[in-house]
Amino acid sequence: MERPSRLLLVSELRVRNSAYDVSLSRSLLTWKRRTSSPVYHPFRPRFCVPSFPRRQASGVCHSVSVSEIISVREEEEENGCKDDGSWKKINEREGKDCRQAFTVLYVERCQQHRWRCAEVSFTCPEGALCQRWVTSIREQLAAISTPKQLLVYINPYSGKKHGKHIYEQKVAPLFALAGVTTHVIVTEHANYARDHLRTEAELKKFDGVVCVGGDGMFSEIIHGLIWRSQIYGGVDPNCADESLLPSSLRIGIIPAGSTDCICFATVGSNDPVTSALHIIVGDSQPMDVCSVHHNNTFLRYSVSLLGYGFYGDVLTDSERKRWMGPARYDLSGVKMFLTHHYYEGTVSYLPARGIMGNPRDANRCRSGCVVCQHNGRLISEKAERYQMDEETDRESEGEWKTIRGKFLAINAASMSCACPRSPKGLSPAAHLADGTTDLILVRKCSRFDFLRHLLRHTSKDDQFDLNFVEVHRVRRFCFTPRPCQSDSDLDLRENGKHQIFGQICRNHPACGCAPAYSSWNCDGEILTHKAIDVRVHSNLIKLFARGIEEPTVFDDLTNPCAI
């Protein structure tokens, strides 16, 4: 029978004494049990609590994508056939079938978007065939762009201070199995990784940068990489109108923080093993980044949430309670809800026109997102036109809109901001790489109405279907606290204690010491200024991730792991 041209190798091999037809193509490794063979389950999960094996129907077929194979190793199946030099062993060896075997380690999907490293061993009738299989699989793996050398930063103080233990016990063994070499740096203080990446790190010899920690650690990494790319490319980071240059290195996140919002929104799980496997197979997920400026002075980059009002107040209050650990966010959240502060200001924004999707549709950003791909192409085409005509005003295509009012919260979500506590996130339909951010304005309302809005973050109800909430998908926006009032005026008012106590008490009957302005929460860090200019830069960084996979990918699990 002539072998199909698309197959590279086809053989009859054995798995635990059962006969299988095994084939290898450029994209798939497939093994199918012959109907006359005894029924055995071929899997031996690693780094996962095994479930009870299921009996398989005759002729069941298993396929693994070549891109999700971690490694392959050759080994001798019969340990008892090893020669120790005695005549007795030599005589026994002549009567045994000392066949050669190879083991394939690959990604296996479990429940709740988790991945595990599983393995299957194939026994060959002869050593030459075994070597041929091992060589063929390794040749296919070599053609895939997987990382070989990684720069790893570990924050030993993130979350519950388990970062180093998580890396050594769960991640490093997987990297070793995959043949990935690492250079590990344990950070000594805040912004250590950022400063090291800006000046000292020799990035040319690495295929990616991995951070072990929380969202703050990830923020340090992107600030170091993006800043370095702009300086080396001759771009002024302080100019808000400059188009930033993307970083060439992919970033991996090993979650070890308090919330790990970015990891959850890009992978679907805050599981270190899952994140490590995404890094090993070389996944690539582009992501938008917002630059935040004040009067043409660079402040910070943001990839998840910019929050003024409620979320800014929660962060400011929680910073005084760091001794409490992650529980401080719950306490500060309740306190800020009860104080019920609102703030006056002006929001100007540039709507994203001519794009696919809107903040209130049912299209969620998932792996292979059509919305991100479509809008990304539009942005690339526009960028090419701008290069041809340098005098074209890049913001002239749309008309700026302005909203003035009293707000309980002003949020800009560049991703869903989903986390285990809020599976939907602040903006469920926000996308990772569509070149926009969702601007959410929550106007002054009663405590009961604001509670309704907050509770909808954890329910299936539309959290924007309230008359005091509006959401806009924008490419850029500016905020000024109180009309015609600058940061310097606000500072003078605060330092001089020129508070009109009567007016404050009338506006905030529950609290007579309400502040005149809030603070911006930028990915968990407090900004030093209130008046800001925010611009979205499309596909500025890439992660070792592929986006959240659809639930159907996980429905048919031959060996679900116990979670």
Side-chain angles (χ1 to χ4, degrees):
M1 181 178 179
E2 185 178 355
R3 182 186 303 170
S5 58
R6 63 187 181 87
L7 297 179
L8 302 176
L9 199 56
V10 177
S11 301
E12 179 184 337
L13 307 178
R14 300 190 72 82
V15 177
R16 291 188 177 182
N17 297 322
S18 300
Y20 279 76
D21 291 322
V22 186
S23 62
L24 174 68
S25 69
R26 296 187 184 279
S27 59
L28 287 176
L29 172 66
T30 304
W31 59 100
K32 181 178 181 181
R33 188 179 57 250
R34 295 200 163 191
T35 56
S36 59
S37 299
V39 177
Y40 288 92
H41 196 286
F43 300 104
R44 298 206 307 271
R46 297 172 62 95
F47 304 102
C48 171
V49 179
S51 64
F52 293 102
R54 299 179 179 179
R55 294 182 62 86
Q56 304 291 329
S58 296
V60 68
C61 181
H62 302 274
S63 294
V64 174
S65 173
V66 172
S67 63
E68 294 181 1
I69 294 178
I70 298 170
S71 66
V72 58
R73 66 171 182 263
E74 187 178 5
E75 54 193 357
E76 192 173 350
E77 177 71 7
E78 297 289 348
N79 294 328
C81 293
K82 294 181 180 179
D83 187 5
D84 64 355
S86 67
W87 286 103
K88 182 179 179 181
K89 288 295 184 181
I90 292 176
N91 292 333
E92 290 178 356
R93 181 181 176 189
E94 292 175 353
K96 288 189 177 181
D97 182 13
C98 296
R99 298 167 294 180
Q100 296 295 312
F102 65 94
T103 299
V104 176
L105 288 82
Y106 61 94
V107 168
E108 184 176 60
R109 287 167 174 80
C110 304
Q111 297 174 356
Q112 299 178 358
H113 299 283
R114 297 192 178 195
W115 285 10
R116 288 296 180 265
C117 177
E119 66 177 37
V120 57
S121 295
F122 300 98
T123 304
C124 304
E126 56 184 15
L129 180 60
C130 178
Q131 184 61 44
R132 186 180 175 190
W133 270 97
V134 172
T135 302
S136 298
I137 294 176
R138 286 176 177 170
E139 287 176 352
Q140 299 310 307
L141 295 179
I144 303 174
S145 177
T146 57
K148 300 299 185 293
Q149 290 186 315
L150 296 172
L151 177 60
V152 181
Y153 292 95
I154 300 177
N155 183 354
Y157 302 105
S158 290
K160 298 181 180 179
K161 302 181 180 181
H162 293 166
K164 192 174 180 181
H165 175 79
I166 288 173
Y167 177 78
E168 293 175 348
Q169 298 297 319
K170 297 184 177 182
V171 179
L174 287 172
F175 284 167
L177 285 174
V180 178
T181 59
T182 58
H183 177 62
V184 179
I185 297 176
V186 179
T187 60
E188 300 175 2
H189 52 76
N191 294 323
Y192 183 94
R194 182 200 67 182
D195 298 339
H196 185 264
L197 284 170
R198 282 185 177 183
T199 56
E200 300 179 28
E202 298 180 9
L203 300 181
K204 291 183 178 180
K205 62 182 182 181
F206 296 108
D207 302 314
V209 179
V210 176
C211 62
V212 183
D215 294 335
M217 187 63 178
F218 175 76
S219 180
E220 284 193 34
I221 299 299
I222 67 169
H223 277 80
L225 288 178
I226 296 175
W227 182 275
R228 181 164 175 158
S229 297
Q230 310 322 306
I231 298 301
Y232 277 61
V235 176
D236 182 10
N238 288 315
C239 181
D241 295 323
E242 285 270 19
S243 294
L244 301 183
L245 300 176
S247 175
S248 59
L249 290 179
R250 284 173 288 180
I251 306 171
I253 308 174
I254 303 298
S258 301
T259 56
D260 300 306
C261 168
I262 297 168
C263 184
F264 191 89
T266 55
V267 176
S269 172
N270 287 340
D271 176 53
V273 172
T274 302
S275 296
L277 292 174
H278 278 286
I279 296 171
I280 289 171
V281 301
D283 280 340
S284 183
Q285 170 64 53
M287 180 181 289
D288 299 334
V289 177
C290 292
S291 61
V292 186
H293 290 77
H294 169 76
N295 292 339
N296 270 336
T297 300
F298 170 75
L299 299 181
R300 288 190 70 86
Y301 296 116
S302 171
V303 295
S304 58
L305 170 67
L306 274 164
Y308 185 86
F310 178 74
Y311 290 103
D313 292 346
V314 169
L315 180 63
T316 302
D317 187 76
S318 67
E319 286 298 301
R320 307 186 188 103
K321 304 177 177 66
R322 296 191 67 88
W323 55 271
M324 294 182 59
R328 67 185 184 273
Y329 298 114
D330 295 331
L331 179 60
S332 296
V334 172
K335 178 182 176 181
M336 291 302 105
F337 170 76
L338 294 176
T339 56
H340 200 59
H341 294 154
Y342 67 83
Y343 304 93
E344 297 182 52
T346 302
V347 180
S348 300
Y349 63 92
L350 184 65
R353 301 185 183 278
I355 62 171
M356 178 186 294
N358 66 79
R360 298 186 63 179
D361 61 24
N363 295 326
R364 302 295 185 259
C365 190
R366 293 293 183 261
S367 180
C369 179
V370 176
V371 173
C372 291
Q373 294 175 3
H374 177 270
N375 294 344
R377 286 194 297 267
L378 291 179
I379 293 173
S380 298
E381 293 171 358
K382 291 179 180 179
E384 292 177 358
R385 291 199 298 268
Y386 291 141
Q387 289 178 357
M388 296 175 62
D389 186 4
E390 295 181 357
E391 295 182 358
T392 302
D393 183 6
R394 298 195 175 192
E395 311 298 347
S396 63
E397 297 182 1
E399 179 181 354
W400 284 76
K401 295 187 176 182
T402 300
I403 298 176
R404 296 181 178 88
K406 301 174 181 179
F407 305 99
L408 286 173
I410 300 173
N411 303 319
S414 300
M415 61 173 65
S416 66
C417 297
C419 65
R421 293 186 177 185
S422 177
K424 288 175 55 180
L426 289 180
S427 185
H431 290 267
L432 296 172
D434 67 341
T436 68
T437 187
D438 288 349
L439 181 62
I440 307 167
L441 307 178
V442 183
R443 294 181 180 272
K444 178 186 175 183
C445 62
S446 66
R447 284 188 183 84
F448 176 75
D449 284 339
F450 189 51
L451 179 61
R452 289 170 56 204
H453 171 65
L454 295 178
L455 290 178
R456 290 192 178 190
H457 293 158
T458 59
S459 68
K460 295 182 179 180
D461 297 330
D462 183 1
Q463 56 213 54
F464 304 132
D465 188 22
L466 299 167
N467 58 9
F468 56 90
V469 179
E470 55 185 288
V471 58
H472 308 276
R473 186 151 287 178
V474 305
R475 299 194 187 278
R476 189 170 182 174
F477 74 92
C478 301
F479 172 75
T480 304
R482 291 192 179 185
C484 303
Q485 190 169 21
S486 65
D487 279 6
S488 59
D489 294 334
L490 292 170
D491 292 338
L492 287 174
R493 288 177 60 87
E494 183 181 33
N495 295 334
K497 307 295 182 183
H498 298 308
Q499 302 287 353
I500 306 176
F501 293 103
Q503 182 64 34
I504 290 177
C505 292
R506 286 194 295 271
N507 289 340
H508 303 82
C511 179
C513 56
Y517 57 95
S518 179
S519 298
W520 280 100
N521 177 345
C522 180
D523 292 358
E525 299 292 334
I526 299 174
L527 297 184
T528 56
H529 296 278
K530 324 304 173 191
I532 60 173
D533 180 359
V534 180
R535 179 183 177 184
V536 183
H537 300 269
S538 178
N539 297 353
L540 194 61
I541 60 175
K542 290 184 179 180
L543 303 187
F544 283 111
R546 63 176 59 177
I548 299 176
E549 293 180 311
E550 292 290 351
T552 54
V553 177
F554 297 83
D555 285 346
D556 185 18
L557 299 175
T558 58
N559 184 30
C561 297
I563 303 301

